[in-house]
Amino acid sequence: MSCNRRTVGVAGRSGRRGLSLLELIAVVLLLSIVAAVVVPRLGGAGRDVNVQSCDRNREAIDLHAALHLRNTGSWPQANLSDLAATLPEGLPVCPIDGSAYTFDSATGETVPHAH
């Protein structure tokens, strides 16, 4: 009685090459699940960075306004035109909506935006 044996490879396959349709579907499904989890998180990151950038701009303006008060004895104008020369890149604008910042001399702070 003779017994036919097939050689089994390292991965448990019997001498064939490539992926089966089931293995290919499993890989595609796994990659789509990973993409569904990761992509939405990347999309919202841009807005968070812009909000942080807007906050940093307001802090820089507040600092320059305090220096202006110390040097001149008065707060800058509401439209910040007298600070334009002291800011290295000119007056910044809000990175989210492109609006100009305004200054409230009663509080000594840049007026916050509604984002």
Side-chain angles (χ1 to χ4, degrees), residues 78-101:
N79 66 0
L80 300 169
S81 60
D82 43 356
L83 287 185
T86 62
L87 293 168
E89 297 177 4
L91 288 175
V93 294
C94 177
I96 296 174
D97 58 12
S99 62
Y101 294 99

Side-chain angles (χ1 to χ4, degrees), residues 36-46:
V37 170
V38 171
V39 169
R41 292 183 183 199
L42 296 177

Side-chain angles (χ1 to χ4, degrees), residues 19-95:
L19 296 173
S20 70
L21 182 60
L22 186 59
E23 291 168 331
L24 186 62
I25 290 173
V27 169
V28 170
L29 181 66
L30 182 63
L31 290 176
S32 64
I33 291 171
V34 169
V37 170
V38 171
V39 169
R41 292 183 183 199
L42 296 177
R47 179 153 175 83
D48 293 340
V49 168
N50 287 338
V51 169
Q52 290 174 357
S53 179
C54 181
D55 292 340
R56 297 300 90 73
N57 286 346
R58 288 182 49 227
E59 290 172 3
I61 292 170
D62 289 346
L63 176 65
H64 282 274
L67 291 172
H68 185 272
L69 175 65
R70 191 182 94 190
N71 292 335
T72 65
S74 65
W75 288 110
Q77 297 177 7
N79 66 0
L80 300 169
S81 60
D82 43 356
L83 287 185
T86 62
L87 293 168
E89 297 177 4
L91 288 175
V93 294
C94 177

